[in-house]
Amino acid sequence: MSDFHFKASQWVPFKDKAIIERVRDIKREEIEKHANPDFNITVYPDADVEFVWVTDLFTRIWQAAQLNQKLVLILPNPCPSYRHVVRLINANKIDCKNIHAFAMDEYADENGRIAPADWKYGFTHAMFHYFYDRIDPQLRPPREQFVGFTNKNINDYGKMIEDLGGADICYSGPGWTGHLAFIEPDAPEFAGSLEEWKEMSARIVTLSPFTLAQNSLHGSFGKSGDLSAVPPRAATIGPKEVIRAKHRVDSHSITVHGTTTSWQRLMTRLVLHGPVTPLIPESILQTLKTDVLVSETAAMDIEPDWNKGY
C-alpha cells in the first residue's frame, strides 16, 4: 500500500507530527497515568462525569456555608448542569452568601465590545439563567458577587479575583484547539514565551476558526453549524488566573450529541500527555494540582471506523 505524506494545515495550531502520533497511540488503559501525582486523571462512565462535577461544586458550596468561609469560583459557561447544583442548594437550604463567582469568558464583537449580560446567547447570561437566578432568593449572595466581563472591568478582572485571595477552584474543559476558557493557542493577543504567557491576565482575544466551528454546534446557536452566529472575539481570563487558583477541575466529555464521535479524543491526549506549551493552552494544567475527569468515550482508543462515513 502506498504511503501518502503531508504537512498539517497552516490553520492547525500544534503541528509536531511525532508528538501527535505518540499521543494518538495512547490506549484507554494508559490515559490515567501521569508523572505528576498532583495531576489526577480519572476515567468515568460517560453518564457519571456530570454528576462528579456537580458533586464537587455543590460540596464546595456546602462546606463554605458550614465553615462560613469565602468561596471564589471561576466558572465555565454555557452550562445547564448548574440547574442540578441549584436543586441541591435549594433542597438543603444552603446559604450562598459566601460565594463569589466569576465567568471565565464572554463573547465580544469585532471591535472588542463585550456582549452585555442580557444577551441571551452570552456566557454571563447563561451563568445567571442556569445558576444565580434559580437559587431561592433568600439563599442567594448579593448579585454583585456573580461577575461577568464588561468593557468597564476587563482591565481589572484578574485583579478582582486576586483581591479576593485568588480563585479557590477553576473549572474548565479543553476546546478543539486545546484552549482553556478562550485562551487560544493562535491568538495574537497571547503571543509570547511560556514564561511570559504564564503571567498574562484577562484580555480581549481573537477566536480561532476552530472555536467558531465548535461553538456553532452549541444548543444556543441551534446546533446548526452556523458560523456567522458566533462572535469573532471574546473576553477571557488569562493563564495567570488559572495558575494562581488553589485548585482546578478539568472535564473531558464532549461528544457530538451523545454519539461516540468526539473532537476531544485527540485533544484530550495532547492536553494530558503532550508538551506543556502555549500552543496547547490546557497543557499547563499538567504542572498544577488538578483533578481531571475523562469520559470513557473521550478515553477510547483512536482507530479508524471504516463503517462510518460522514
Side-chain angles (χ1 to χ4, degrees):
M1 182 180 295
S2 299
D3 287 330
F4 176 57
H5 300 286
F6 57 92
K7 293 182 179 180
S9 165
Q10 63 175 316
W11 305 113
V12 177
F14 184 79
K15 299 181 177 66
D16 190 314
K17 202 161 188 174
I19 291 174
I20 293 171
E21 289 178 356
R22 174 179 65 79
V23 302
R24 187 187 291 135
D25 288 339
I26 294 174
K27 303 301 181 187
R28 156 65 181 84
E29 60 270 18
E30 301 168 333
I31 207 162
E32 293 179 319
K33 302 173 184 176
H34 199 277
N36 179 6
D38 288 331
F39 190 61
N40 180 35
I41 306 167
T42 306
V43 177
Y44 295 93
D46 286 37
D48 288 13
V49 173
E50 180 183 27
F51 292 98
V52 175
W53 187 91
V54 166
T55 300
D56 187 275
L57 178 53
F58 174 73
T59 300
R60 293 176 189 277
I61 292 170
W62 176 81
Q63 289 176 337
Q66 292 296 305
L67 300 173
N68 195 25
Q69 291 180 345
K70 179 173 76 269
L71 176 66
V72 183
L73 308 168
I74 295 179
L75 298 176
N77 284 290
C79 189
S81 298
Y82 293 128
R83 295 176 299 184
H84 305 314
V85 178
V86 172
R87 289 188 184 105
L88 292 168
I89 289 171
N90 292 341
N92 290 280
K93 295 182 170 42
I94 305 298
D95 187 343
C96 296
K97 67 180 181 182
N98 294 315
I99 296 177
H100 295 260
F102 291 82
M104 64 167 32
D105 43 20
E106 181 58 278
Y107 290 116
D109 69 11
E110 66 279 7
N111 297 313
R113 185 172 64 95
I114 298 170
D118 60 356
W119 188 55
K120 67 180 181 179
Y121 304 105
F123 291 171
T124 303
H125 179 269
M127 182 174 68
F128 279 94
H129 175 68
Y130 290 120
F131 197 172
Y132 184 89
D133 291 343
R134 294 172 189 257
I135 301 173
D136 287 345
Q138 67 272 22
L139 301 176
R140 292 175 190 160
R143 191 173 181 87
E144 61 268 20
Q145 289 178 204
F146 267 58
V147 184
F149 280 97
T150 67
N151 285 100
K152 186 176 180 179
N153 71 20
I154 177 68
N155 293 327
D156 297 315
Y157 206 80
K159 187 175 186 301
M160 292 168 68
I161 299 173
E162 187 177 322
D163 286 347
L164 289 167
D168 292 291
I169 181 70
C170 176
Y171 293 102
S172 62
W176 205 333
T177 63
H179 70 214
L180 195 169
F182 277 139
I183 304 168
E184 297 279 26
D186 48 4
E189 298 87 356
F190 277 117
S193 68
L194 177 60
E195 293 308 311
E196 292 169 334
W197 178 86
K198 287 162 65 175
E199 291 298 317
M200 293 181 185
S201 192
R203 64 196 59 205
I204 300 287
V205 300
T206 304
L207 294 180
S208 163
F210 295 107
T211 297
L212 302 185
Q214 173 192 326
N215 288 14
S216 74
L217 300 179
H218 284 181
S220 55
F221 298 122
K223 302 174 292 186
S224 62
D226 184 352
L227 297 173
S228 66
V230 186
R233 304 185 76 195
T236 180
I237 58 170
K240 182 177 181 179
E241 285 72 57
V242 178
I243 292 167
R244 295 196 178 183
K246 298 176 182 68
H247 196 68
R248 287 144 291 273
V249 172
D250 192 49
S251 298
H252 299 241
S253 61
I254 296 176
T255 66
V256 178
H257 213 59
T259 69
T260 56
T261 300
S262 175
W263 49 259
Q264 273 194 338
R265 194 169 292 124
L266 186 278
M267 187 48 66
T268 288
R269 286 161 167 78
L270 273 176
V271 165
L272 304 185
H273 298 290
V276 175
T277 168
L279 292 176
I280 311 170
E282 273 228 348
S283 64
I284 193 64
L285 298 179
Q286 292 184 52
T287 69
L288 305 167
K289 184 176 176 60
T290 307
D291 289 325
V292 183
L293 320 178
V294 181
S295 69
E296 287 284 0
T297 295
M300 283 174 60
D301 295 353
I302 297 177
E303 54 191 9
D305 182 352
W306 301 113
N307 293 314
K308 177 66 178 174
Y310 291 106

